[in-house]
Amino acid sequence: MTGAHGNGRRRVLVIKLGAFGDFFLAQTAFSAIRRHHAADHLALLTLPSLAPLARLSGLFDEVLEDPRERSLGAYRRVRRLLRAGRFDRVYDLQAQRRTDRYFWLLAPGPWPEWSGTAWGASHRDHYPGRRKVPVIERYTRQLAPFGIVPDAVPDLSWLDADTGGFGIAAPYALLIPGSSPGRPDKRWPVERYGELARALATRGITPVVLGTAIEADLARSITAACPQAVDLTDRTSVPEIAGLARRAWATVGNDTGPTHLVAAVGCPTLGLYCDASVPIHANGPRMVIHHRPSFVDMDAAGVLAAMDALPPGR
């Protein structure tokens, strides 16, 4: 690939539109691409809600916001973004039908080098069962033709915050009882979280409940079962969640974005998965998946024992 912009600096775009947790699962790929293109202009196309985090990471020279609408006008806006960017290469890490269409929005050309699943791409990354491959392995396979090798674990040293204002004394454990609104089947029953919170409090470990406003009812159920629990739902920024995770004894959470974030910063994390989730999609140096086909067969005593067996780091 040669730059076409006079100054020898190539213009490179990464596309990643996925949800909150997917953004953190992609961190090793982001960092590897940044290293490979250290002398180039690197841009990211992502969701407006994730753009502030992308800018905070310092990995990208430019962050573009995808409208995420399905209207003709939205696709026209994306086309203008792509054509105005005059990119030499595109890494489509989203690699879904929507972003396949982005490749064809560049018609009648010229097209940049394009890594993704779009038909006609110069580096088409398409093979049977691709969506069932673990996400980290999928990125590794996609980037290999370019000599780009993601690290084993993400570097989120840029994401931290002072959490002293919450007044939570160590040791404490983070509980993440929610999930995306449309996937309640990914939630371990809140009554079990209440049992776990009581067991932790008996040991002198303060349970701390994290989540957004939509998880407030779950937090109230847990604090009703365990008055020693601290409810921080809708009170934490993303950097503060990372800061709490760096100092926690451990975390237990469902297959949801905050759990992936907490694991990615290195907190000993137990991910609770039933068959509604794909256990292969997890990342973090001290994350362990605790899986049962059905949550009916996952009790609080077993979860606590699995937390005790988490890799050291606290």
Side-chain angles (χ1 to χ4, degrees), residues 12-253:
V12 180
L13 177 67
V14 177
I15 301 175
K16 186 58 188 170
L17 310 180
F20 183 79
D22 298 324
F23 179 83
F24 290 101
L25 289 171
Q27 287 298 307
T28 54
F30 291 163
S31 297
I33 293 170
R34 174 76 277 180
R35 283 196 305 270
H36 188 77
H37 291 284
D40 298 326
H41 180 92
L42 184 63
L44 174 72
L45 178 64
T46 192
L47 301 182
S49 60
L50 296 174
L53 279 175
R55 296 185 180 106
L56 184 62
S57 75
L59 292 171
F60 303 98
D61 301 297
E62 181 181 15
V63 178
L64 306 174
E65 298 184 16
D66 186 283
R68 284 301 289 165
E69 301 168 22
R70 296 186 180 275
S71 65
L72 180 59
Y75 279 109
R76 284 174 174 166
R77 291 199 296 275
V78 173
R79 185 176 190 270
R80 285 196 294 269
L81 282 175
L82 295 176
R83 292 186 70 85
R86 297 167 59 217
F87 297 109
D88 300 294
R89 180 181 291 172
V90 175
Y91 299 100
D92 177 12
L93 300 185
Q94 192 67 23
Q96 293 180 340
R97 288 183 181 178
R98 180 182 180 89
T99 53
D100 287 351
R101 294 187 191 106
Y102 290 3
F103 175 78
W104 287 104
L105 289 177
L106 292 170
W111 275 275
E113 292 183 329
W114 189 287
S115 170
T117 51
W119 185 87
S122 61
H123 296 76
R124 194 175 188 222
D125 186 63
H126 187 272
Y127 47 88
R130 185 182 188 278
R131 300 304 299 178
K132 295 182 180 180
V133 172
V135 64
I136 307 304
E137 180 184 333
R138 196 161 67 226
Y139 294 147
T140 299
R141 290 178 66 167
Q142 181 175 351
L143 297 174
F146 305 97
I148 300 175
V149 181
D151 295 329
V153 296
D155 176 8
L156 291 180
S157 55
W158 52 271
L159 193 60
D160 199 358
D162 181 5
T163 59
F166 294 119
I168 303 170
Y172 61 86
L174 303 178
L175 309 185
I176 304 175
S179 65
S180 58
R183 296 302 306 272
D185 53 337
K186 290 186 176 185
R187 296 178 184 173
W188 191 44
V190 68
E191 297 80 9
R192 305 275 175 86
Y193 272 105
E195 295 171 18
L196 177 64
R198 287 198 302 271
L200 290 168
T202 299
R203 292 186 175 192
I205 300 170
T206 301
V208 177
V209 186
L210 298 182
T212 63
I214 61 175
E215 278 97 36
D217 287 345
L218 299 176
R220 281 193 287 270
S221 294
I222 294 170
T223 55
C226 176
Q228 299 96 322
V230 176
D231 178 6
L232 291 187
T233 53
D234 205 32
R235 293 178 54 195
T236 52
S237 66
V238 173
E240 286 171 336
I241 293 174
L244 288 164
R246 294 183 188 281
R247 298 159 182 87
W249 175 77
T251 292
V252 59

